Amino acid sequence: MTISIFDLFKIGIGPSSSHTVGPMLAARAFARELSGLGVARIEVTLYGALSLTGRGHATDRAVILGLAGCHPATVPADEAAMIWQTVKSTGELTLQHRESISFSLKHDLLFVDQPLPEHPNGLRLIAFNAEGTELLNQVWFSLGGGFITRRDQQSAESQTVEEVSVPFAFSSAAELQTLCEQHHISMAELVRANEQALGHSEQAVAEGLDDLWSVMEDSIQRGCQTEGELPGGLQVQRRAPVLFRRWQAEEKQQDPLRVMDWVSLCAMAVNEENAAGGRVVTAPTNGAAGVIPAVVAFHQQYDSHASRDSIHTLLLTAAAIGMLYKRNASISAAEVGCQGEIGVASSMAAAGLTAVWGGTVAQVENAAEIAMEHHLGMTCDPVAGLVQVPCIERNTMGAVKAINAARLALSGDGIHRVSLDQVIATMYQTGRDMQDRYKETSLGGLAVNVIYC
């Protein structure tokens, strides 16, 4: 399986790539096949983690938007709100092919806490005609990071490219490092060459990277300017605007930790936007969407050599590392806990920053390993099933750890005891051993020990 950087980094809406973006894409793909069938009713069942935290992650809303033909990368916020409110108030849903049906959120959208055997994030969509005859029945799985697959076949919407020959195919960090060293290229150059083999011209890759950074930067700016309370009932107040004003006011002070404040507020700004359902980049997930933008913003703000090219290098290098986790482990918190989201994002960011700081391929691999090693075992226990507590603050910590990991890697020669491949395998094994209550089900940890009403 060859993964494109534009598969790993997707533009979408919050609050969750696995619980919002993925289900929306699955419902949209299902709706595309309904034209001309005479659909009168659709029944959607959410299973496992999609059921347990579905309402807090806006999975119900995402499914409705997908059936209406909306795409998470392009749907305007006001249009999404109008579609959702129409279904809630009138019980009428206009499908992607413009046919209107009745849809009851109480009777046609079902929640089953027991997961399907293949994956904890499952959903079944069934279309019926007026006589109650079943027209189409599909089971989809949301794999994390906006990746989806259908039970009976590989989905085109999963955004993966199968059986495409690329000049530098790799399935492990060791292979990736060997290819770079043998061909005297960086990880960024390797990924760029593979992208061109996947049909993306050099200009298209550059413009695509510009678009990703533009959305990341916009989410930072919106998060720094938007005041108020986040939706969901936890009464969590946005803190990024306050931190941003404080950071500006302290510009002339010689505080050595002001740099860290900048990193934290950028990460917090992005994930407060995500928690509010705003547009972010899955990097590689929505729950961890603030880590890489915060590290890129740090590089842009504080490195004198920062440029468009260096930002591209950082993102391309980060993608190379992310592809390893996607291929050999998981980026789904419902499958392996938050180590698969914040941990992976931190590992990706550490690698990218090490690359733009002039690190060797061995040092880049080392930085990625260091960052993940110190996220091993991190649970996913969102309070009230919302991507707010502890998710938002975890992004700030992941970004700071990424910078520290890059510094540590650059202080050595790249030779280290634990390899990135070993730590990826350990992360996956740890996640498989983790009790389900700690994997995006809100049945353990902070989710049961923090009282809310």
Side-chain angles (χ1 to χ4, degrees):
M1 179 178 69
T2 303
I3 304 172
S4 167
I5 184 175
F6 304 113
D7 305 336
L8 201 63
F9 292 137
K10 300 182 184 72
I11 298 170
I13 58 174
S16 171
S17 49
S18 61
H19 285 54
T20 313
V21 174
M24 190 186 303
L25 290 173
R28 185 173 185 267
F30 177 79
R32 280 210 309 265
E33 300 188 36
L34 301 180
S35 180
L37 295 184
V39 176
R41 174 175 168 261
I42 294 175
E43 180 182 282
V44 181
T45 306
L46 305 176
Y47 295 94
L50 289 187
S51 169
L52 289 163
T53 61
R55 290 185 176 89
H57 287 65
T59 310
D60 46 2
R61 180 172 178 263
V63 168
I64 294 299
L65 294 176
L67 291 173
C70 299
H71 193 286
T74 56
V75 59
D78 54 352
E79 180 182 338
M82 182 181 66
I83 293 171
W84 176 240
Q85 287 302 321
T86 297
V87 173
K88 285 180 65 177
S89 59
T90 70
E92 295 289 324
L93 170 62
T94 301
L95 298 176
Q96 183 172 357
H97 55 277
R98 313 316 301 168
E99 181 179 0
S100 292
I101 64 170
S102 296
F103 193 97
S104 167
L105 293 175
K106 181 177 181 180
H107 301 292
D108 297 328
L109 186 57
L110 310 177
F111 294 80
V112 176
D113 293 350
Q114 184 67 30
L116 296 172
E118 296 94 332
H119 195 277
N121 290 332
L123 65 158
R124 182 186 293 274
L125 302 103
I126 309 176
F128 303 89
N129 64 15
E131 289 73 38
T133 301
E134 188 176 293
L135 301 172
L136 188 64
N137 185 328
Q138 293 181 350
V139 174
W140 291 81
F141 299 99
S142 181
L143 308 178
F147 287 85
I148 60 174
T149 189
R150 205 168 83 193
R151 173 180 273 175
D152 56 342
Q153 66 181 48
Q154 176 67 41
S155 162
E157 285 275 3
S158 69
Q159 304 294 307
T160 58
V161 182
E162 297 283 356
E163 300 178 2
V164 175
S165 178
V166 294
F168 303 111
F170 60 93
S171 59
S172 68
E175 290 178 359
L176 174 61
Q177 185 172 338
T178 297
L179 284 169
C180 290
E181 291 172 347
Q182 286 180 345
H183 295 275
H184 305 289
I185 56 175
S186 66
M187 289 187 188
E189 290 168 333
L190 182 149
V191 172
R192 187 181 283 111
N194 284 350
E195 287 297 325
Q196 292 178 28
L198 294 175
H200 303 136
S201 67
E202 185 173 354
Q203 180 179 350
V205 172
E207 291 176 351
L209 293 170
D210 288 340
D211 289 342
L212 291 173
W213 172 234
S214 177
V215 174
M216 290 178 178
E217 200 168 29
D218 285 347
S219 62
I220 292 174
Q221 293 173 354
R222 290 195 312 272
C224 286
Q225 296 167 1
T226 308
E227 309 268 0
E229 183 179 298
L230 294 173
L234 277 183
Q235 299 180 324
V236 173
Q237 296 292 322
R238 288 179 181 253
R239 287 184 287 170
V242 175
L243 291 175
F244 182 57
R245 289 194 293 271
R246 182 182 303 163
W247 180 83
Q248 287 181 311
E250 295 173 352
E251 183 176 2
K252 295 182 180 180
Q253 297 182 16
Q254 300 300 313
D255 182 357
L257 298 182
R258 187 167 177 267
V259 176
M260 191 165 71
D261 290 343
W262 172 249
V263 176
S264 294
L265 81 87
C266 288
M268 186 170 288
V270 173
N271 276 81
E272 287 178 346
E273 273 296 295
N274 177 65
R279 197 171 308 283
V280 297
V281 174
T282 62
T285 68
N286 282 36
V291 175
I292 291 174
V295 172
V296 177
F298 158 76
H299 167 62
Q300 186 182 60
Q301 178 73 24
Y302 288 101
D303 287 343
S304 59
H305 66 279
S307 65
R308 179 191 185 215
D309 287 344
S310 68
I311 290 173
H312 289 185
T313 295
L314 198 160
L315 293 175
L316 288 163
T317 306
I321 301 302
M323 291 170 192
L324 292 170
Y325 284 101
K326 174 60 184 169
R327 179 178 289 111
N328 298 322
S330 175
I331 56 173
S332 168
E335 194 172 9
V336 295
C338 199
Q339 57 176 354
E341 297 203 20
I342 296 294
V344 172
S346 185
S347 183
M348 293 167 65
L353 187 60
T354 303
V356 299
W357 276 350
T360 64
V361 174
Q363 289 171 322
V364 169
E365 185 264 359
N366 189 14
E369 180 276 322
I370 292 171
M372 173 51 77
E373 187 176 337
H374 301 287
H375 282 94
L376 290 175
M378 179 176 280
T379 61
C380 181
D381 50 354
V383 177
L386 300 167
V387 192
Q388 297 178 19
V389 179
C391 319
I392 295 171
E393 287 182 355
R394 280 184 178 171
N395 277 262
T396 71
M397 303 303 290
V400 171
K401 280 186 180 181
I403 297 170
N404 191 33
R407 296 275 293 180
L408 287 171
L410 287 168
S411 69
D413 58 6
I415 299 173
H416 53 109
R417 184 64 183 82
V418 180
S419 72
L420 178 57
D421 287 325
Q422 289 171 330
V423 86
I424 291 174
T426 302
M427 185 274 276
Y428 190 53
Q429 292 164 0
T430 302
R432 301 289 286 184
D433 292 339
M434 192 181 292
Q435 294 184 27
D436 287 346
R437 71 180 64 180
Y438 299 113
K439 294 191 285 189
E440 208 169 5
T441 59
S442 287
L443 296 176
L446 288 172
V448 298
N449 287 303
V450 176
I451 299 173
Y452 66 94
C453 58

